[in-house]
Amino acid sequence: MPKGFSKDEMHAIKAKLIIKGKELISKYGYKKFGIRDLTAEVGIANGMFYKFFSSKEDFFYFIVNEEKEVIRKKINVGLLKYKNEPINALKSFYLIIMTELHSNPIMEAILLKNEYSPIVSKMTEEELLEEREKSLQPIMDLANYWQENGLVKEDIDINIVFASLRSLVMLWFHRKEIGEDTYPQVIDFLIERICEHVKLQGDVI
Amino acid sequence: MPKGFSKDEMHAIKAKLIIKGKELISKYGYKKFGIRDLTAEVGIANGMFYKFFSSKEDFFYFIVNEEKEVIRKKINVGLLKYKNEPINALKSFYLIIMTELHSNPIMEAILLKNEYSPIVSKMTEEELLEEREKSLQPIMDLANYWQENGLVKEDIDINIVFASLRSLVMLWFHRKEIGEDTYPQVIDFLIERICEHVKLQGDVI
């Protein structure tokens, strides 16, 4: 293993590993992605990878978490467009998640290769809870703003409203079973039902 | 391979393979279930299995389809209890599917071992369509009866109503992601929303 890299050089190598790693995962997904290919691309010895990450799995989680953070921010920005239009915000919530997930090359690769469920199944209950909280906190702030300003019905549980919309995203994995034609109809129908529940008398959805 | 089995003996062997196969699959799921164990239990040569089924996969599909047929019948019987109570029928639809799936030892084994999605992913669009039609036909007959007798709103698309309820079953696979506590609340909430849409003015849900 090469010795004597400066701190700056180490930083640069790590940054390169991440950039090249993202490229390779976008191309091959998780299973077919190899550390040897990555270190070869970056031009370092294979063993040096382990100065930065403890395993391929650890590296992969790091990358996926970075991408999820990017996606979360985009979702929040997307929603803020509808700060004063709760029904449009709710209708967009599902759509923004789907669009951002599928326009992100890393998430798209993982989703299409069915490599997302195995990631989730390895996460602990605490990690998943933390993820959900990170995702839902800015949305809850928005929902509180709506309730304080009388923009939505008072007696609704907005947590469950958002949790339900978020759950619909997972039906994407079952689109074949639901039926490719029926699937978008089911999604539209359920989103309409949720919005119908939230809207104030007189609102048009 | 032993020769000279009569037709009746062959029938008896096939029946034994199916019975013992169901026991073993309930116990081990698909991956860990082996044809050698099965033929040993039945007391026949290993090669003889292939007189009846072309592969382990073929055998497994046969078993799973038999179980699905049993479950479908139970769902239909369960729904007929609510022939004149559409809202109760709809509310029960999801619950009956879940109960029957999880009280069936073979389906339960496959579900808990995450062996259900790989089965579905190998099925063709035609096979899946046939499955859906088998599942939904008796329910559509019931729905037509409701519409003819003015028991539900006239202008609703009852196909999508049932397809949506059926889709909710698939969220079970994502209960960890949704959150073990939130998951049942999301299901209840979405079922309520669907029923709210179908009910006649004045119906209580």
Side-chain angles (χ1 to χ4, degrees):
Chain A
M1 200 178 294
K3 277 178 192 171
F5 280 113
S6 73
K7 218 174 158 183
D8 281 354
E9 283 168 328
M10 289 297 272
H11 271 298
I13 293 170
K14 189 174 179 183
K16 263 194 192 173
L17 282 172
I18 293 168
I19 292 168
K20 278 286 163 202
K22 285 186 182 178
E23 275 177 37
L24 292 174
I25 292 172
S26 305
K27 211 165 161 184
Y28 301 114
Y30 175 63
K31 267 189 214 159
K32 292 194 175 167
F33 154 75
I35 301 303
R36 277 184 191 279
D37 297 330
L38 174 60
T39 50
E41 286 254 8
V42 172
I44 57 169
N46 191 54
M48 198 163 175
F49 170 86
Y50 300 95
K51 292 256 181 206
F52 304 100
F53 300 97
S54 65
S55 62
K56 172 178 158 178
E57 198 175 67
D58 179 36
F59 179 69
F60 183 64
Y61 279 14
F62 177 87
I63 300 284
V64 169
N65 277 329
E66 277 211 352
E67 294 308 295
K68 281 188 178 172
E69 198 50 45
V70 170
I71 290 175
R72 266 194 283 271
K73 280 185 184 146
K74 287 191 177 177
I75 293 171
N76 296 336
V77 170
L79 277 183
L80 277 183
K81 273 202 291 184
Y82 301 106
K83 197 179 169 203
N84 290 302
E85 300 165 53
I87 299 302
N88 284 331
L90 293 175
K91 284 189 148 183
S92 307
F93 180 61
Y94 166 86
L95 207 69
I96 298 173
I97 300 178
M98 289 303 277
T99 309
E100 292 305 334
L101 270 181
H102 290 281
S103 64
N104 180 295
I106 291 173
M107 295 310 289
E108 175 75 350
I110 298 169
L111 290 170
L112 288 180
K113 287 180 204 299
N114 291 320
E115 293 180 339
Y116 189 70
S117 300
I119 302 178
V120 173
S121 71
K122 278 181 194 155
M123 288 171 78
T124 64
E125 193 56 49
E126 287 70 35
E127 285 168 333
L128 285 165
L129 185 66
E130 203 193 309
E131 283 250 312
R132 278 197 299 281
E133 281 180 356
K134 265 193 215 161
S135 300
L136 290 173
Q137 196 46 58
I139 293 159
M140 286 306 131
D141 295 342
L142 185 61
N144 286 337
Y145 169 83
W146 294 340
Q147 289 195 310
E148 279 162 18
N149 290 277
L151 295 170
V152 290
K153 268 191 220 151
E154 261 176 50
D155 57 346
I156 54 166
D157 183 345
I158 201 90
N159 278 289
I160 294 301
V161 168
F162 276 110
S164 301
L165 286 167
R166 199 171 161 270
S167 301
L168 299 187
V169 171
M170 292 154 206
L171 292 181
W172 182 83
F173 294 101
H174 306 280
R175 62 204 181 285
K176 228 182 117 182
E177 238 173 311
I178 297 171
E180 300 275 0
D181 294 342
T182 313
Y183 164 71
Q185 296 180 52
V186 162
I187 295 289
D188 284 351
F189 175 77
L190 289 171
I191 292 176
E192 290 281 324
R193 299 288 68 73
I194 297 171
C195 290
E196 190 73 47
H197 175 68
V198 175
K199 80 176 176 67
L200 291 170
Q201 202 96 27
D203 273 359
V204 182
I205 66 168
Chain B
M1 197 179 295
K3 276 179 189 171
F5 281 111
S6 72
K7 219 175 158 181
D8 281 353
E9 283 168 326
M10 290 295 272
H11 271 298
I13 293 170
K14 189 175 178 182
K16 263 195 193 174
L17 282 171
I18 293 168
I19 291 168
K20 278 285 162 204
K22 286 185 182 178
E23 274 176 37
L24 292 174
I25 292 172
S26 304
K27 211 165 160 184
Y28 301 113
Y30 176 63
K31 267 189 213 159
K32 291 193 176 167
F33 154 76
I35 300 305
R36 279 185 190 278
D37 298 330
L38 174 61
T39 50
E41 286 254 7
V42 173
I44 57 169
N46 191 55
M48 197 161 174
F49 170 86
Y50 300 94
K51 291 256 181 211
F52 303 101
F53 300 97
S54 64
S55 63
K56 172 178 158 178
E57 197 175 67
D58 179 37
F59 180 69
F60 182 64
Y61 279 13
F62 177 87
I63 299 285
V64 168
N65 277 329
E66 276 210 353
E67 293 309 294
K68 281 189 178 171
E69 197 51 45
V70 170
I71 291 175
R72 266 195 283 271
K73 280 184 185 147
K74 287 191 176 177
I75 293 171
N76 295 336
V77 169
L79 276 183
L80 276 183
K81 274 201 289 183
Y82 302 106
K83 198 180 169 201
N84 291 301
E85 300 165 53
I87 299 302
N88 285 329
L90 293 175
K91 285 189 148 185
S92 309
F93 180 61
Y94 166 86
L95 207 68
I96 298 173
I97 300 178
M98 289 303 278
T99 310
E100 292 305 334
L101 270 180
H102 290 282
S103 64
N104 181 295
I106 290 173
M107 295 309 289
E108 176 74 350
I110 298 169
L111 291 171
L112 287 180
K113 287 180 204 296
N114 290 321
E115 294 180 339
Y116 189 70
S117 299
I119 301 178
V120 173
S121 71
K122 279 182 194 154
M123 288 171 76
T124 64
E125 192 57 49
E126 286 71 37
E127 284 168 332
L128 285 165
L129 186 66
E130 203 191 311
E131 283 250 311
R132 278 197 299 282
E133 280 180 356
K134 266 192 214 162
S135 301
L136 290 173
Q137 195 46 57
I139 293 160
M140 286 305 131
D141 294 343
L142 185 61
N144 286 336
Y145 169 84
W146 294 340
Q147 289 195 310
E148 279 161 18
N149 290 276
L151 296 170
V152 290
K153 268 192 220 150
E154 261 177 49
D155 57 347
I156 54 166
D157 184 344
I158 201 90
N159 277 290
I160 294 300
V161 168
F162 276 110
S164 300
L165 286 167
R166 198 171 162 271
S167 301
L168 299 187
V169 171
M170 292 154 206
L171 292 181
W172 183 84
F173 292 101
H174 306 279
R175 64 205 180 283
K176 228 181 116 182
E177 240 173 310
I178 298 172
E180 300 275 1
D181 294 343
T182 312
Y183 164 71
Q185 296 180 53
V186 162
I187 296 289
D188 284 351
F189 175 77
L190 289 171
I191 293 175
E192 289 283 322
R193 300 286 71 71
I194 297 171
C195 291
E196 191 72 48
H197 175 68
V198 175
K199 80 176 176 67
L200 292 170
Q201 202 96 26
D203 273 358
V204 181
I205 66 167

